[in-house]
Amino acid sequence: MKQMCNQIKLVEGEFGPGDSADVLLSLIADKIKFHNLQKLLINDADDLRLMRAEHRIGELKEARKSVIESIIKARDDGYSLKIEATVNIEYVKK
């Protein structure tokens, strides 16, 4: 199979605090939802995928707290936020 490496600019630009909250918190919420759905599909409580999903949800919840703090500070101090998010995609052999 041909090697694929693709980059997609998911978010790029300068946003006010309100729009920054919409963009960033939506992305985080979608990832938390994804991992929660994955947990529902796993039947074995000892499955490593379950533990990884739970760990990732914890990380994302901490990230959400940090993002909220940053947005509040930006709003209170009169700043906008420059946000850049790139997704890298490549084939990985199983």
Side-chain angles (χ1 to χ4, degrees):
M1 177 178 277
K2 183 180 175 185
Q3 173 101 15
M4 184 203 59
C5 185
N6 195 7
Q7 287 189 335
I8 300 169
K9 285 191 177 185
L10 194 59
V11 181
E12 180 180 35
E14 189 174 306
F15 302 88
D19 288 338
S20 295
D22 288 343
V23 170
L24 296 172
L25 296 176
S26 293
L27 289 170
I28 293 169
D30 284 345
K31 285 297 294 175
I32 290 172
K33 180 180 173 182
F34 169 81
H35 288 292
N36 277 321
L37 289 172
Q38 292 297 306
K39 283 175 47 179
L40 290 174
L41 298 174
I42 299 169
N43 296 323
D44 182 3
D46 293 328
D47 193 319
L48 288 177
R49 295 175 301 162
L50 181 63
M51 290 179 251
R52 284 195 300 264
E54 289 173 346
H55 178 74
R56 186 66 181 129
I57 290 168
E59 289 177 335
L60 290 164
K61 286 180 177 180
E62 286 299 313
R64 180 175 56 200
K65 288 178 189 176
S66 177
V67 165
I68 290 169
E69 290 172 6
S70 295
I71 290 168
I72 290 170
K73 178 153 180 55
R75 182 199 62 204
D76 291 348
D77 294 346
Y79 287 96
S80 60
L81 296 169
K82 183 178 178 184
I83 303 171
E84 296 179 13
T86 302
V87 176
N88 297 308
I89 304 167
E90 64 182 276
Y91 290 117
V92 178
K93 190 75 171 176
K94 288 185 177 184

